[in-house]
Amino acid sequence: MTVNHLTAAAAPLATPNRFTELAAALTDWLRRGGTRAENGAYCGWRTAEGELSYHYPEITGYILTFFAYNAADEADLGRARSAADWLIDRFDRGDLSGRPDRGDGTVFPFDLGMITHGLLTFGARTGDERILAAGRRAARLLLDTRTDGVLPTLLTPEGAPAPRPAWSTTGRAHLLKVLQALLSAAEHGVEGAAEAAEQLVREADATGARPGSAPLATCLESDLISLHASCYAAEGLWMWGTARGDATALDRARAITAWVWEQQLADGGFTTYAHLTGGPAGDHRQSDVLAQAVRLAVLLDLAPSRLADAAQALVESTERHEDGASTLYWPAAPERHRNCWSSLFALQALRLHGGRGASLDWRELV
């Protein structure tokens, strides 16, 4: 498929307004390689001075999904292919670690899921059989991490110290977003992917909530609930419910999202954690959660009373510069980190909010 086919297949935007215009500026920054390293990998963020953070496999997977729907010219396709090459080279070397900068070899199946979906989606939409084959390989590697059919939160090398309890190391709620990769893998004929997805959904159904508390725990060792992980869970259930027509999953996604919206700050944003029984556990705005909350509200057809405040907070969390715009991870922090994943989430949230009835295919969500 040529870049012209990609552009034609993308959903048209509504008449530009301040939200869709800002989304376009974010898209420009990401297309031009906002946090791209020389080796093709994408990094978590770039400082205002131009310094890049570590090379980030998960985010490189996200960028492939982004380019599958936003590539506008051959230069874009070249950047996407070099990102895929970096991931494939790591597979060839047997390196599945989630944070190569740490050098501890820890593997996060969540990250493998985001990589799998990125490779499969970009490979399929461009007709690149080599990248599509790499996506199937990544899916099999993801499935191989399971024990007795259960996807682990992480795999640590023998002799490595136990991880500090956190939503990303001992929690399981966020793993529901891996449903996207498993659904994609099943579409592309990867044996066992559909069954693994169904197991994840059954696991989610078995986790009840105490009355008056959060709909799901994100770290069993803590009474704090990660709003970021909660949104990942809702996103996964939305994708499954949309792809499979599962009304129960969609209702569960709405319940989680509605609870997240109960934690909205006075400034319209959302912070990192909330208490199990409700109430934000802090007052600093975290932009990825903010963008996720806005995006989910629109996708799930919710109407939070302060949605407009949240959209305005997202605009205020995004800064324009000469090569487009980027979203700051913690807007109030002295370090101006132009964050890649927050920008990816934000551009979709702003398009949805400003697009008057716009939606996303479940494969397109990053």
Side-chain angles (χ1 to χ4, degrees):
M1 183 181 287
T2 67
V3 69
N4 290 331
H5 286 104
L6 274 174
T7 304
L13 292 179
T15 303
N17 57 32
R18 68 189 182 107
F19 298 113
T20 56
E21 286 172 355
L22 186 54
L26 286 162
T27 301
D28 286 345
W29 182 69
L30 291 160
R31 279 184 49 230
R32 294 166 182 165
T35 64
R36 182 178 182 271
E38 290 185 1
N39 63 0
Y42 275 71
C43 302
W45 61 83
R46 183 185 294 274
T47 68
E49 294 73 35
E51 183 178 351
L52 287 169
S53 70
Y54 49 86
H55 301 159
Y56 210 151
E58 175 199 348
I59 304 309
T60 307
Y62 276 148
I63 210 72
L64 288 174
T65 300
F66 164 80
F67 274 123
Y69 290 88
N70 292 278
D73 55 35
E74 292 300 327
D76 290 353
L77 293 176
R79 283 185 281 270
R81 291 188 180 110
S82 66
D85 288 343
W86 180 73
L87 292 170
I88 294 167
D89 179 66
R90 297 182 79 240
F91 290 159
D92 291 342
R93 291 185 283 107
D95 185 0
L96 305 182
S97 63
R99 288 287 301 275
D101 59 306
R102 293 179 179 170
D104 62 4
T106 299
V107 176
F108 291 87
F110 179 91
D111 295 7
L112 280 177
M114 304 309 107
I115 292 165
T116 294
H117 183 68
L119 289 166
L120 287 172
T121 303
F122 183 77
R125 285 181 63 82
T126 58
D128 192 317
E129 290 297 330
R130 181 183 66 92
I131 294 177
L132 195 53
R136 293 191 186 97
R137 179 184 178 188
R140 289 189 290 269
L141 291 168
L142 170 64
L143 292 170
D144 286 346
T145 67
R146 294 176 301 161
T147 301
D148 296 327
V150 176
L151 195 70
T153 304
L154 80 172
L155 298 173
T156 54
E158 187 175 349
R164 182 177 62 84
W167 68 265
S168 61
T169 58
T170 59
R172 299 194 55 77
H174 66 293
L175 290 177
L176 284 168
K177 190 167 182 177
V178 179
L179 285 167
Q180 184 185 42
L182 296 173
L183 285 163
S184 289
E187 280 192 329
H188 292 286
V190 178
E191 187 176 352
E195 293 79 6
E198 290 164 2
Q199 171 62 29
L200 260 184
V201 174
R202 285 195 297 271
E203 183 181 327
D205 289 342
T207 57
R210 297 204 303 260
S213 70
L216 77 175
T218 58
C219 180
L220 297 180
E221 296 85 350
S222 174
D223 283 341
L224 292 179
I225 305 298
S226 165
L227 298 182
H228 184 41
S230 297
C231 287
Y232 276 154
E235 289 164 8
L237 290 167
W238 171 78
M239 289 185 281
W240 172 266
T242 300
R244 294 297 181 92
D246 187 336
T248 300
L250 292 172
D251 285 344
R252 187 80 188 276
R254 290 188 186 96
I256 295 168
T257 302
W259 187 85
V260 168
W261 274 90
E262 291 174 10
Q263 319 312 316
Q264 189 174 18
L265 300 172
D267 68 1
F270 295 82
T271 190
T272 308
Y273 292 101
H275 297 288
L276 180 66
T277 54
D283 60 3
H284 67 278
R285 186 190 302 168
Q286 186 167 310
S287 294
D288 54 0
V289 181
L290 171 57
Q292 286 176 287
V294 171
R295 187 169 64 174
L296 280 164
V298 179
L299 290 172
L300 290 164
D301 199 25
L302 300 176
S305 61
R306 298 181 59 218
L307 178 59
D309 292 345
Q312 179 58 33
L314 190 54
V315 170
E316 293 169 357
S317 301
T318 300
E319 64 175 17
R320 291 183 180 267
H321 33 78
E322 65 284 351
D323 52 351
S326 54
T327 302
L328 303 175
Y329 184 66
W330 282 328
E335 302 85 5
R336 310 291 284 179
H337 284 175
R338 296 172 176 176
N339 188 272
C340 186
W341 70 86
S342 293
S343 297
L344 286 165
F345 298 169
L347 78 88
Q348 292 190 334
L350 291 166
R351 281 180 183 173
L352 287 165
H353 181 68
R356 300 183 185 86
S359 189
L360 288 176
D361 184 270
W362 64 264
R363 301 168 189 85
E364 187 176 356
L365 189 105
V366 293

